Amino acid sequence: QNATNGYLIRYGSTFVLQVDPSAVLEEKFVKAKIDLSAYTFPGSKYPRMVDAVITDNKLFVAMQRLDGWATQQAYIAVIDLDTNTEIDTNTQQDGLKGIPLNATNTFTLVEHNGQLYAAGRGGYNSDTGGLDKIDASTYAVTSLIDENSFPQLIDFSDDDNSKNDSYYHVLDVAVVSDQLAYAALNIEIGYATIETKLVMINPTTKELTLLSQPDAINGKEISDINIDANERL
């Protein structure tokens, strides 16, 4: 958040740590703990926090909520940074206070211009990944990519990867503007990555276009994508 206040998420914990990045002594580093144990799926140990962003004085924490290898409803918890208390994003419903996502097994959370973009890997043996756009003010969720998008994006009719055991997973997202973003789609057989495809997205119209990839990255596994200050991917 600033030079003296930050938040540390941990995959194997039920607590977010509020920390002082400027601390020079260990006992001064942790300032408080924020309990998200309510999101732990029954039978598992942790809610599996994977990414977080700060916007509008709120901390958004993405959680996979895996049950072993099985995917369950993924959530984003919203924390008021003035009080370190969780905001109820839907007071009309009982249960968890956070934002339920369409895509499961969240991997990446990115904020741009008041919108959050959550890339979900989905199950390991199915085309269940996706990309959700979340309004940081209203908490409304819009699906930009889902399991129905994949056949439209990638045609393997002349490719050895067209067999039934090939699956697509959305692993990362990078946002340029309200009209342009990119997503990284892993193509996997079993747990082995065959290659990664890059997709251009218009987050406003939901239009998807498969990017013509240069030879330098064509057929390769891509682990991370970002946009720099000069709007280069």
Side-chain angles (χ1 to χ4, degrees), residues 5 28 32 36 51 72-73 77 116 132 164 171 185-186 223 229:
N5 195 60
K28 299 292 186 182
L36 293 181
D51 209 350
Q72 305 296 339
Q73 177 80 69
L116 307 176
D132 291 331
N164 292 332
L171 293 191
L185 273 63
N186 255 25
S223 59

Side-chain angles (χ1 to χ4, degrees), residues 22-226:
S22 68
V24 295
L25 297 175
E26 179 182 350
E27 56 266 28
K28 299 292 186 182
F29 181 60
V30 177
K31 301 163 67 174
K33 295 181 179 181
I34 302 170
D35 185 4
L36 293 181
S37 60
Y39 290 91
T40 301
F41 191 80
S44 56
K45 294 182 179 179
Y46 312 112
R48 303 298 183 191
M49 310 174 216
V50 290
D51 209 350
V53 297
I54 294 173
T55 184
D56 193 27
N57 203 44
K58 293 179 285 191
L59 176 70
F60 293 81
V61 183
M63 293 166 288
Q64 292 175 339
R65 300 185 72 241
L66 298 182
D67 176 20
W69 289 103
T71 58
Q72 305 296 339
Q73 177 80 69
Y75 271 84
I76 295 177
V78 186
I79 310 299
D80 183 336
L81 296 188
D82 286 332
T83 62
N84 274 4
T85 58
E86 187 177 3
I87 296 171
D88 191 344
T89 63
N90 188 348
T91 57
Q92 306 303 312
Q93 293 185 358
D94 296 332
L96 297 171
K97 296 180 180 180
I99 306 167
L101 299 176
N102 296 319
T104 58
N105 200 1
T106 312
F107 258 51
T108 307
L109 187 63
V110 174
E111 188 275 337
H112 179 82
N113 198 24
Q115 302 292 318
L116 307 176
Y117 295 81
R121 190 188 199 287
Y124 284 84
N125 60 349
S126 62
D127 298 329
T128 53
L131 178 64
D132 291 331
K133 181 175 73 170
I134 305 100
D135 190 301
S137 298
T138 67
Y139 313 123
V141 179
T142 302
S143 181
L144 299 180
I145 296 177
D146 59 24
E147 65 273 13
N148 297 316
S149 305
F150 298 115
Q152 303 173 36
L153 291 173
I154 303 173
D155 180 10
F156 281 153
S157 57
D158 297 321
D159 196 306
D160 290 339
N161 296 340
S162 60
K163 57 189 70 172
N164 292 332
D165 55 357
S166 176
Y167 299 106
Y168 318 122
H169 306 288
V170 184
L171 293 191
D172 205 1
V173 58
V175 184
V176 180
S177 68
D178 292 343
Q179 287 76 42
L180 180 60
Y182 296 89
L185 273 63
N186 255 25
I187 302 166
E188 301 177 8
I189 295 179
Y191 297 105
T193 298
I194 306 304
E195 64 176 320
T196 305
K197 296 287 190 180
L198 295 181
V199 176
M200 290 190 298
I201 309 161
N202 185 324
T204 301
T205 65
K206 300 197 223 180
E207 181 182 2
L208 304 175
T209 306
L210 190 64
L211 187 67
S212 178
Q213 298 181 178
D215 291 340
I217 61 173
N218 196 36
K220 303 292 196 303
E221 179 180 1
I222 300 170
S223 59
D224 189 45
I225 56 174
N226 283 289

